[in-house]
Amino acid sequence: PAEYTKIWDLVYDAQQSAYRAIRDAFKNGKPITGAQADDISRAVITKAGYGDQFLHRTGHSIGEEGHGNGANIDNLETRDSRRLIPGTAFSLEPGIYLEGKFGIRSEIDVYIDGSNVIITAPHQTEIIPMLTSGMSFTRLLWPFLFAGGLFTGTHLLANHYLIPRSNKALRT
């Protein structure tokens, strides 16, 4: 449905805007903080009129076993003024949640290698609708959720569910 695509496009644009800003800052040797990156992502969603539906920080530091102790991509919860620095990793995962309807959150994980800012794995760039009828989403996809991470990088909360276009396993 068009509304899902619209929200996905906004979330993806917010994510990629923050990524480009961080990448460009490092290419040009300019400092950037977690809070500044959050502001860039949040501005895309706010400009589209969904700022009140973006309920969490844009991302968090990633350590060796999960959340790390580096700069978070956050100017909402912790207002992280620490600079992003080489040798660190973090997530970029903006989201929009429409109460009583659905929500979309998409994550990429990023590593800063010197002046190169690298997305660490293939990531979702578009969606296709997949409507379930009579079967719960969890029951339908349970085997896939733990076998290779069907939704790795994307969290979707909806009455109608969306899957990455690149996933061939469920497409016929």
Side-chain angles (χ1 to χ4, degrees), residues 122-134:
H123 59 283
Q124 183 175 342
T125 60
E126 58 184 334
I127 58 170
I128 59 168
M130 183 185 94
L131 304 178
T132 61
S133 59

Side-chain angles (χ1 to χ4, degrees), residues 128-132 136-137 141 156-163:
I128 59 168
M130 183 185 94
L131 304 178
T132 61
S136 78
F137 177 67
L141 295 179
L156 297 155
L157 312 164
N159 293 327
H160 295 82
Y161 300 94
L162 310 172
I163 63 172

Side-chain angles (χ1 to χ4, degrees), residues 4-62:
Y4 295 119
T5 301
K6 175 184 173 183
I7 298 302
W8 161 259
D9 289 345
L10 285 169
V11 167
Y12 181 73
D13 188 29
Q15 175 198 82
Q16 293 299 303
S17 292
Y19 171 73
R20 285 189 301 270
I22 295 165
R23 180 197 63 201
D24 294 349
F26 275 87
K27 271 187 181 177
N28 296 316
K30 296 185 178 185
I32 186 167
T33 67
Q36 289 169 321
D38 182 82
D39 287 344
I40 291 162
S41 180
R42 195 167 301 284
V44 171
I45 291 172
T46 299
K47 182 178 178 184
Y50 294 95
D52 290 342
Q53 286 79 40
F54 185 2
L55 308 174
H56 54 79
R57 61 187 173 196
T58 296
H60 57 81
S61 173
I62 298 174

Side-chain angles (χ1 to χ4, degrees), residues 4 9 20 28 37 39 43 55 64 68 71 75 85 98 107 111 119 150 153:
Y4 295 119
D9 289 345
R20 285 189 301 270
N28 296 316
D39 287 344
L55 308 174
E64 292 179 11
N75 200 20
I85 59 173
L98 304 178
E107 176 177 348
Y111 178 72
I119 298 173
L150 174 65

Side-chain angles (χ1 to χ4, degrees), residues 73-113:
I73 312 304
D74 185 3
N75 200 20
L76 177 70
E77 297 169 16
T78 62
R79 306 199 191 293
D80 204 325
S81 61
R82 293 177 291 172
R83 289 174 48 185
L84 300 174
I85 59 173
T88 60
F90 52 87
S91 68
L92 293 174
E93 50 184 297
I96 297 174
Y97 309 92
L98 304 178
E99 189 174 343
K101 294 173 82 176
F102 70 98
I104 296 178
R105 177 182 198 164
S106 181
E107 176 177 348
I108 57 174
D109 296 333
V110 178
Y111 178 72
I112 302 173
D113 182 16

